[in-house]
Amino acid sequence: MAQQEDMFKKLISHSKEYGFVFPSSELYDGLGAVYDYGQNGVELKNNIKKYWWDSMTLLHENVTGIDSAIFMHPTIWKASGHVDAFNDPLIDNKDSKKRYRADVLIEDLIAKYEDKINKEVEKAAKRFGDAFDTQKFLETNPRVLENEAKKKELHERFAKAMNENNLEELRQIIVDYEIVCPVSGSRNWTEVRQFNLMFSTEMGSVADGATRIYLRPETAQGIFVNFLNVQKSGRMKIPFGIAQIGKAFRNEIVARQFVFRMREFEQMEMQFFVRPGEELKWFEQWKQTRMKWHQALGLGEKKYRFHDHDKLAHYANAATDIEFEMPFGFKEIEGIHSRTDFDLSSHEKYSGKKIQYFDPELNKSYVPYVVETSIGVDRMFLSVLAGSYGEEELEGGDTRVVLRLPPALAPVKLAVLPLVKKDGLPEKAREIIDRLKFDFRCQYDEKDSIGKRYRRQDAIGTPYCITIDHDTMTDNCVTIRYRDTMEQERVPVAGLERIVPEKVSMKQLLKQIAKS
Ligand code: ATP
């Protein structure tokens, strides 16, 4: 655990040192849970967004995009349920004066039981070697069974309290399980209270007569209220989807964990409109499609898992999260929800306007059902960074930090490095960049030793380094060095246009999901 925390700290400082993420307003000592993306961060983030957008709108003929405004009519948030129910249960520790989400404190305890079980398994696997039967061990080991029973009991009590919105019971669980404040170590807790997560502001030139409006806490509502506009203007036939990428804002109570939980963040959401009764089939299909999208990045199959919801939101009839193994455990990066006809029906009611689709095959009108896929750009960014970060010992006692980023997402695809700053080598390097820059982001670097320059590129995850030496001037060949293996190969300059795209183009990545 300590090792993982250490790794997380390193990741945060690496992000800053290499221009991926800066704390917002750092000059003024920062602003809680708000971050800025630096010169490399913005490229990685844009590539993630492109990967998502292209996978949605190019690989699915029936998915189209929109870009709706952040400000929306305030009644929309009444209709969506956010004004009344977008709350987190919070609890304060009276000694440390720290505020926590009561549900998160309990979930952390559940995770501790899981950790204990995993540790028992690891220990036993080491002891028994090849003969070890994990399943049998899980079913028979007394310590595992004991922890499993404790976990189950807590889990059931917790799920019931959450489903019933029973704040007193949540507090009682914290008391009964002797959960302590991680800062003060005490059990001196306040009551549990609900806290609305929406930011509000006023629209209008003077406070008088101004309207209270909200900064959207999700992008989805912008899709719902445009359902008819898109369906009619695009002559869309059900089933079809509308995708959107945009900022969302939540006044998170516990804003720790870097870009995992921010107050201003970005979402990539797709609402898929289907016939009533067919939603669970589509829910399954989108679960698989989205998992493939993640897996195609090659960060490791075992790093992802589904986590089905115990507490279904009032509008959902099925929900799952895709979780990624962050340095602080498996955490949600994407939600997939079957939202029934809740949103469209609710907007019908609140707006007084019909939101229906006439299905020519069934010869009838209905309010479509919706399956949503919703992923946070910033959490995705963090998962990619955490999954790529590595520290390696090299021959000769040297070390390197390398970001093994999926090549198509890397901020810089190709670094071009003249061995010396003279004899026409820089000009040759520029010539190569001029040929490739239309397709790939290239970086020119002539400063410091070649070894140092390689290290700098490894640290930002550049898949290829091209070195120009004196021989290049006569044989028109360059040395290409591969980031992951550090292998070097001599190749003709003319071959670069073929070699580079093989790994780094978005097209290759998309083809991989399309065929898998
Ligand atoms: P959590 O339970 O962690 O607060 P959530 O279930 O409220 O998340 P959703 O409302 O399902 O999240 O939002 C969809 C996605 O938006 C999440 O999977 C996550 O990737 C992203 N997201 C939500 N809240 C934040 C946040 N505060 N900072 C960054 N990303 C977020």
Side-chain angles (χ1 to χ4, degrees):
M1 200 62 200
Q3 205 181 353
Q4 284 192 320
E5 266 167 35
D6 190 37
M7 139 80 179
F8 189 38
K9 278 195 194 133
K10 280 187 187 163
L11 197 64
I12 296 171
S13 64
H14 188 85
S15 295
K16 186 168 171 217
E17 190 180 344
Y18 287 93
F20 283 89
V21 181
F22 307 126
S24 158
S25 321
E26 201 184 7
L27 212 50
Y28 294 88
D29 298 330
L31 185 65
V34 186
Y35 290 89
D36 297 338
Y37 285 83
Q39 67 279 17
N40 287 318
V42 68
E43 295 290 341
L44 173 55
K45 198 176 175 210
N46 283 343
N47 291 339
I48 289 173
K49 289 195 270 187
K50 183 167 168 49
Y51 177 42
W52 185 87
W53 188 261
D54 286 355
S55 76
M56 284 292 173
T57 62
L58 300 183
L59 302 189
H60 301 276
E61 263 174 48
N62 57 356
V63 176
T64 188
I66 61 162
D67 182 24
S68 70
I70 288 172
F71 292 145
M72 296 201 277
H73 195 286
T75 310
I76 288 174
W77 303 110
K78 267 306 253 186
S80 68
H82 283 82
V83 171
D84 296 321
F86 193 50
N87 299 318
D88 273 345
L90 67 87
I91 189 165
D92 293 349
N93 182 270
K94 290 185 197 160
D95 298 318
S96 66
K97 307 268 183 287
K98 289 273 173 209
R99 181 162 286 180
Y100 300 93
R101 264 172 65 178
D103 56 333
V104 172
L105 285 177
I106 300 170
E107 276 169 4
D108 285 350
L109 182 61
I110 295 175
K112 273 193 194 139
Y113 289 129
E114 268 169 25
D115 272 356
K116 277 189 189 163
I117 296 170
N118 292 338
K119 286 220 177 83
E120 291 292 344
V121 175
E122 263 172 42
K123 254 188 355 204
K126 260 196 205 138
R127 213 170 44 232
F128 294 112
D130 288 344
F132 184 62
D133 179 343
T134 315
Q135 200 50 38
K136 193 157 173 220
F137 183 79
L138 286 173
E139 283 162 13
T140 54
N141 179 275
R143 271 192 301 275
V144 168
L145 292 177
E146 187 191 328
N147 278 309
E148 192 57 58
K150 278 191 193 156
K151 187 185 112 185
K152 188 160 173 266
E153 189 188 307
L154 172 58
H155 197 264
E156 279 169 7
R157 200 171 151 193
F158 170 57
K160 185 162 182 282
M162 288 296 281
N163 274 322
E164 291 170 354
N165 240 333
N166 187 341
L167 302 183
E168 272 171 35
E169 170 67 354
L170 281 180
R171 181 172 193 279
Q172 202 52 48
I173 296 175
I174 290 172
V175 171
D176 290 351
Y177 281 81
E178 303 184 341
I179 295 177
V180 297
C181 163
V183 176
S184 67
S186 90
R187 285 185 252 143
N188 197 3
W189 296 110
T190 61
E191 297 305 303
V192 176
R193 280 168 296 138
Q194 293 286 25
F195 177 82
N196 192 289
L197 297 178
M198 279 198 296
F199 283 104
S200 66
T201 185
E202 280 166 359
M203 191 176 245
S205 54
V206 282
D208 235 15
T211 314
R212 182 183 169 85
I213 54 166
Y214 298 99
L215 298 187
R216 65 179 179 198
E218 61 174 32
T219 59
Q221 297 304 323
I223 295 179
F224 293 127
V225 297
N226 276 300
F227 167 75
L228 280 183
N229 284 336
V230 175
Q231 190 272 316
K232 293 215 160 95
S233 62
R235 294 182 301 122
M236 306 299 287
K237 287 205 168 51
I238 273 184
F240 75 91
I242 305 177
Q244 160 154 251
I245 300 180
K247 288 268 174 142
F249 304 82
R250 296 182 188 179
N251 197 2
E252 297 280 0
I253 307 161
V254 186
R256 285 174 288 161
Q257 298 172 326
F258 197 38
V259 294
F260 181 81
R261 193 174 294 287
M262 301 157 89
R263 296 199 165 108
E264 173 182 341
F265 59 101
E266 212 165 354
Q267 286 185 317
M268 306 189 278
E269 298 198 292
M270 194 278 304
Q271 310 293 325
F272 199 71
F273 300 92
V274 304
R275 276 183 190 161
E278 293 192 353
E279 70 277 11
L280 293 180
K281 178 186 89 183
W282 286 108
F283 173 73
E284 275 311 314
Q285 189 149 329
W286 277 107
K287 260 177 83 170
Q288 303 314 324
T289 306
R290 293 303 304 145
M291 189 53 110
K292 268 191 211 162
W293 183 87
H294 287 282
Q295 299 281 7
L297 291 174
L299 295 176
E301 247 173 65
K302 290 210 173 113
K303 293 213 169 264
Y304 303 87
R305 70 180 188 194
F306 285 116
H307 174 250
D308 294 333
H309 284 205
D310 296 313
K311 185 196 177 194
L312 290 179
H314 53 289
Y315 50 75
N317 66 0
T320 195
D321 293 336
I322 294 180
E323 295 186 335
F324 180 84
E325 191 175 16
M326 296 282 186
F328 40 90
F330 271 96
K331 295 285 169 199
E332 168 184 347
I333 50 174
E334 169 155 9
I336 300 160
H337 312 124
S338 170
R339 295 178 73 121
T340 68
D341 61 349
F342 170 80
D343 301 271
L344 293 183
S345 296
S346 191
H347 287 306
E348 266 199 331
K349 198 168 101 199
Y350 277 83
S351 67
K353 302 197 177 94
K354 243 185 170 190
I355 310 183
Q356 300 215 344
Y357 169 79
F358 177 73
D359 193 323
E361 277 171 42
L362 300 180
N363 197 27
K364 69 172 189 185
S365 293
Y366 53 78
V367 179
Y369 271 46
V370 172
V371 172
E372 148 184 282
T373 73
S374 170
I375 170 167
V377 180
D378 313 87
R379 283 193 191 176
M380 184 62 203
F381 180 98
L382 182 58
S383 72
V384 169
L385 216 54
S388 307
Y389 184 89
E391 289 172 8
E392 289 177 357
E393 294 257 344
L394 303 177
E395 279 170 33
D398 224 2
T399 55
R400 72 162 181 164
V401 171
V402 55
L403 287 187
R404 294 173 188 278
L405 294 173
L409 302 186
V412 177
K413 306 292 190 231
L414 186 79
V416 185
L417 320 170
L419 205 56
V420 292
K421 283 188 237 176
K422 52 183 187 186
D423 305 333
L425 270 55
E427 290 73 16
K428 188 77 193 165
R430 297 271 180 214
E431 214 178 276
I432 293 177
I433 291 180
D434 284 341
R435 282 169 76 158
L436 295 169
K437 70 183 176 193
F438 301 100
D439 290 313
F440 308 107
R441 202 156 170 271
C442 304
Q443 203 168 69
Y444 175 86
D445 190 2
E446 57 174 27
K447 205 168 170 298
D448 299 322
S449 72
I450 201 78
K452 274 195 184 155
R453 283 183 263 171
Y454 284 157
R455 287 300 93 82
R456 276 202 289 270
Q457 296 300 332
D458 287 344
I460 63 167
T462 307
Y464 297 114
C465 287
I466 306 286
T467 314
I468 318 293
D469 55 26
H470 284 100
D471 289 343
T472 309
M473 308 307 284
T474 50
D475 66 6
N476 223 14
C477 285
V478 291
T479 304
I480 184 163
R481 172 194 181 265
Y482 302 101
R483 175 195 72 195
D484 297 348
T485 56
M486 294 190 287
E487 269 167 22
Q488 303 192 6
E489 218 181 324
R490 195 84 186 153
V491 298
V493 170
L496 291 175
E497 266 143 308
R498 180 185 52 77
I499 299 172
V500 177
E502 259 168 31
K503 264 204 195 156
V504 306
S505 74
M506 194 63 81
K507 191 169 160 185
Q508 290 302 332
L509 195 52
L510 291 171
K511 277 190 172 168
Q512 214 170 309
I513 353 178
K515 78 167 190 281
S516 59

